Amino acid sequence: MCTLEKRGDLFLLTLTGDGEHRFHPDTIATILSLLEQAKSQSTRGSILITTANGKFFSNGFDLAWAQTAGSITGAANRLHQMVESFKPVVAALLDLPMPTIAALNGHAAAAGLMLALSHDYVFMRKDRGVLYMSEVDIGLSMPDYFSALVRAKIGTSAARRELLLSGKKIRGEEAVGLGIVDSAAYDSEEGVVEASVRLGEKLAAKKWSGEVYASIRKSLYPELCGILGLEARVFATPKL
Amino acid sequence: MCTLEKRGDLFHLTLTGDDEHRFHPDTITSVLSLLEQAKSQSTKGSVLITTGHGKFFSNGFDLAWAQSAGHGAIERMHQMVKSFKPVLAALLDLPMPTIAALNGHAAASGLMFALSHDYVFMRKDRGVLYMSEVDIGLPVPDYFSALVVAKVGSGIARRELLLSGKKLKGEDAVALGIVDSAAHDSAEGVVEATVSLGESLAAKKWNGEVYASIRRSLYPELCRMLELTVNNLATHNL
């Protein structure tokens, strides 16, 4: 389902297998636990790179699981459960005491795209993979912390609208143009991962204090932190 | 340390001397007092241009002064962080357009000082913008982050500014939307361009109170943090 490996300074979180990597409550619990593991093992210079295998980064919540609840109310409850349990994953990433990089091997939709956007840097492929907020097409309203994350990370009104209100499947070049991702210069899964590793190694060499890094990151997103229940303040001893 | 001159409609605030123009409590007090002076002498068409001499616009707080206190270093840091807040508030509240003419490097609170102006011009050939906190291991004061969020729109640009430890040169700073212009190859060039802009703004003969209130209305979160009231009752000339 997902694995965490440590290679030198880099923690590599991988959504494994060839499927859509949809977020079922079990997947969510696993990801959360792996993030907690990375946090507990972090040192100066630690970096997280998150990627996946196959065609999809992640296609969002496991809507099929919600539907097997058998009733409309049951399905709504299951969806609600996934929305609530995913919130701590976004919080854990915002709080992670190390720079984070999402290396998109393929499509990222809905909650899958939110997972990507919760990282400090997002790289995607030029040739394949789209970003897609499917909610408006499916008729699902947006969880408040999803919109807050989009508002926090994406500066222009036009880009936010393209992402949330257009039903567009946004390809690499356009995503860069809209300021949603940092780079879409790679023509293969390996290319994206390599670029993320290169950036990761460069950032690792700075040997930053992870606590300070996380506190500066959170200070950029006070509203989102409020919704996620994250404390923005930190009391660090600077090396003056 | 710093001077205020009036040339026609333009107030020139200059950080003098060839040093790093670091913000020590005394510098901060002087800058604040000069801003209050400009405010009290302002009329329709007034404009403020802030610049420095030498290699540095300002390299931030006087960390050496903090360190010389030994155990009292953190206390001195807090003192500077706290006393600098009214400087940013005074700039946000100034009843006239404000232009920062960066002669050289602007780092940490020196960069915040620049960003508190309505317009920022820097050199193409020299000078960098650098938020050093992540490299030094200093958390960023809440009102610094609020200023960055208020003034810099893109999430990527904010990250590049606060979380990358990068020293941003003129062209990058323009591309990221942090400064307005980095077209000049000398300090004189930057100052000339800002004087030229200042004169064209002065010619509008704007009501400074109205200008300041519209400016504050753009940054409600920042104003709240700086304890500035956003709304006001102005007399329109309709």
Side-chain angles (χ1 to χ4, degrees), chain A residues 120-121 152-153 155 179 181-182 206 208 212-213 215-217 219-220 233 236 238-240, chain B residues 67 74 77 134-140 142 145 149 153 155-156 158-159 162-165:
Chain A
D120 299 319
Y121 300 81
K153 295 276 190 149
V181 308
D182 288 274
K206 307 267 198 166
W208 286 328
V212 171
Y213 186 90
S215 99
I216 298 174
R217 178 207 284 130
S219 77
L220 275 175
R233 254 175 208 297
K239 50 176 208 274
L240 284 171
Chain B
Q67 274 160 329
I74 305 277
M77 268 306 300
V134 69
D135 284 341
I136 305 178
L138 266 177
V140 171
D142 59 357
S145 304
V149 169
I156 289 176
R158 293 168 184 169
R159 183 206 63 215
L162 285 190
L163 280 170
S164 74

Side-chain angles (χ1 to χ4, degrees), chain A residues 60-140:
Chain A
F61 290 132
D62 193 341
L63 301 184
W65 174 73
Q67 277 159 331
T68 58
S71 66
I72 295 184
T73 324
N77 283 342
R78 284 188 171 185
L79 185 53
H80 188 74
Q81 185 189 334
M82 288 187 285
V83 168
E84 280 311 297
S85 64
F86 188 64
K87 208 162 151 175
V89 171
V90 176
L93 278 164
L94 264 282
D95 205 26
L96 210 67
M98 64 184 79
T100 57
I101 308 169
L104 305 195
N105 53 298
H107 309 302
L113 177 45
M114 292 299 102
L115 179 70
L117 262 199
S118 302
H119 290 67
D120 299 319
Y121 300 81
V122 184
F123 287 3
M124 67 189 282
R125 284 173 70 158
K126 177 159 71 179
D127 61 326
R128 287 199 200 172
V130 296
L131 309 181
Y132 175 43
M133 288 306 279
S134 47
E135 286 83 349
V136 69
D137 283 342
I138 305 179
L140 266 176

